[in-house]
Amino acid sequence: MSLDTTAHNRRMTHFDGHESVWLFGYGSLIWKADFDYLERRPASIRGWTRRFWQGSHDHRGTPDAPGRVVTLVPEEGATCHGMAYRISPALFAQLDHREKNGYLRVVTEMRFDDGTAREGVVYLAGEDNEAYLGPAAERDIARQIADSHGPSGPNRDYLLNLAAALRELGFGDAHVFSLERELLTLAPT
Ligand code: SIN
């Protein structure tokens, strides 16, 4: 998979003709909703877990010194909580650009608090993308986050904002909260 996934994502036809599409956000899309949406609701998807295993060359790091941001990793029995947005399909051009560093639009089923479910889209950075970093010791991930900066700002803000947003929504995430604790023991560079 090439590094810039924009062209690949533009070829998705699954929701052609739909007036609106549900988008599931689990990372910055939870706390940085700087796009027009029609409606938003807390939601979850099953079989996936959130991990700081994706490199960020364009937002929270650089190609030479990538930061770390979240992607989803398959895990049987896992539930990932996040925020669902009902959007106009026209918005995908903007979102594909924002998520271009390795993320592909993938069709998924998301569940809402009232027990209903909808098919929609999630941006997922698989392990075959060039920016993928994969697992590392939490201390090392926290250190990399503490040291990384990119055009969208310090990598630490991404982690701290995500942890705060999950807490506010009442969602647990042991990986995110443990990285937050590690980060707060480290001096920013
Ligand atoms: C998402 O938030 O759903 C995708 C990853 C990110 O943009 O942080």
Short mmCIF file of all heavy atoms in Angstrom, two decimals, residues 4 9 13 23 31 42 82 84 88 91 139 144 152 179:
data_model
loop_
_atom_site.label_atom_id
_atom_site.label_comp_id
_atom_site.label_asym_id
_atom_site.label_seq_id
_atom_site.Cartn_x
_atom_site.Cartn_y
_atom_site.Cartn_z
N ASP A 4 0.48 7.54 0.33
CA ASP A 4 -0.67 8.45 0.19
C ASP A 4 -1.86 7.63 -0.32
O ASP A 4 -1.88 7.18 -1.46
CB ASP A 4 -0.32 9.58 -0.79
CG ASP A 4 -1.42 10.62 -0.85
OD1 ASP A 4 -2.57 10.30 -0.50
OD2 ASP A 4 -1.14 11.75 -1.26
N ASN A 9 -8.66 5.69 -1.83
CA ASN A 9 -9.94 5.94 -1.15
C ASN A 9 -10.99 6.55 -2.08
O ASN A 9 -12.18 6.25 -1.96
CB ASN A 9 -9.72 6.85 0.06
CG ASN A 9 -9.17 6.06 1.24
OD1 ASN A 9 -9.49 4.88 1.41
ND2 ASN A 9 -8.34 6.70 2.05
N THR A 13 -16.74 2.87 -4.01
CA THR A 13 -18.06 3.13 -4.61
C THR A 13 -19.21 2.61 -3.72
O THR A 13 -20.37 2.77 -4.07
CB THR A 13 -18.16 2.42 -5.98
OG1 THR A 13 -17.85 1.03 -5.78
CG2 THR A 13 -17.18 3.01 -6.98
N LEU A 23 -19.86 7.72 9.60
CA LEU A 23 -18.41 7.58 9.72
C LEU A 23 -18.09 7.31 11.19
O LEU A 23 -18.54 8.04 12.07
CB LEU A 23 -17.74 8.90 9.30
CG LEU A 23 -16.27 9.06 9.67
CD1 LEU A 23 -15.39 8.17 8.80
CD2 LEU A 23 -15.84 10.53 9.52
N TRP A 31 -12.06 13.89 18.82
CA TRP A 31 -11.90 15.17 19.52
C TRP A 31 -11.63 16.36 18.59
O TRP A 31 -11.64 17.49 19.05
CB TRP A 31 -10.81 15.07 20.59
CG TRP A 31 -9.48 14.61 20.07
CD1 TRP A 31 -9.04 13.33 20.03
CD2 TRP A 31 -8.44 15.41 19.51
NE1 TRP A 31 -7.78 13.28 19.48
CE2 TRP A 31 -7.39 14.54 19.15
CE3 TRP A 31 -8.28 16.80 19.28
CZ2 TRP A 31 -6.20 14.99 18.56
CZ3 TRP A 31 -7.10 17.24 18.70
CH2 TRP A 31 -6.08 16.34 18.34
N PRO A 42 -22.27 8.83 20.04
CA PRO A 42 -21.31 7.85 20.50
C PRO A 42 -21.66 6.48 19.92
O PRO A 42 -22.85 6.16 19.78
CB PRO A 42 -21.47 7.84 22.03
CG PRO A 42 -22.11 9.16 22.34
CD PRO A 42 -22.97 9.50 21.16
N GLY A 82 -16.12 4.91 20.24
CA GLY A 82 -15.73 6.15 19.57
C GLY A 82 -16.94 7.02 19.29
O GLY A 82 -17.96 6.92 20.00
N ALA A 84 -19.57 8.43 16.22
CA ALA A 84 -20.05 8.27 14.84
C ALA A 84 -20.63 9.59 14.35
O ALA A 84 -21.30 10.31 15.11
CB ALA A 84 -21.11 7.18 14.78
N SER A 88 -22.27 14.06 4.81
CA SER A 88 -22.56 14.03 3.37
C SER A 88 -21.38 13.34 2.69
O SER A 88 -20.23 13.59 3.03
CB SER A 88 -22.69 15.46 2.87
OG SER A 88 -22.42 15.49 1.49
N LEU A 91 -18.13 15.07 1.77
CA LEU A 91 -17.09 15.38 2.76
C LEU A 91 -15.89 14.43 2.67
O LEU A 91 -14.81 14.73 3.19
CB LEU A 91 -17.71 15.30 4.17
CG LEU A 91 -16.88 15.89 5.30
CD1 LEU A 91 -16.80 17.41 5.18
CD2 LEU A 91 -17.48 15.50 6.65
N ARG A 139 6.48 2.38 27.27
CA ARG A 139 7.42 3.46 27.63
C ARG A 139 8.05 4.06 26.35
O ARG A 139 8.22 5.27 26.25
CB ARG A 139 8.51 2.85 28.54
CG ARG A 139 9.50 3.83 29.06
CD ARG A 139 9.26 4.10 30.55
NE ARG A 139 10.01 5.27 30.97
CZ ARG A 139 9.53 6.21 31.73
NH1 ARG A 139 8.30 6.17 32.17
NH2 ARG A 139 10.26 7.23 32.09
N GLN A 144 8.39 8.35 22.23
CA GLN A 144 8.30 8.82 20.85
C GLN A 144 7.23 9.91 20.73
O GLN A 144 7.43 10.92 20.05
CB GLN A 144 7.96 7.63 19.93
CG GLN A 144 7.99 8.00 18.45
CD GLN A 144 7.81 6.78 17.54
OE1 GLN A 144 7.80 5.64 18.01
NE2 GLN A 144 7.69 7.02 16.25
N SER A 152 0.54 19.59 12.47
CA SER A 152 -0.69 19.78 13.26
C SER A 152 -0.41 20.04 14.73
O SER A 152 -1.34 20.24 15.51
CB SER A 152 -1.61 18.56 13.13
OG SER A 152 -2.02 18.40 11.80
N LEU A 179 -0.66 4.87 28.30
CA LEU A 179 0.29 5.74 27.58
C LEU A 179 0.22 7.17 28.11
O LEU A 179 1.24 7.86 28.23
CB LEU A 179 -0.02 5.74 26.08
CG LEU A 179 0.34 4.46 25.32
CD1 LEU A 179 -0.13 4.54 23.88
CD2 LEU A 179 1.84 4.21 25.37
#
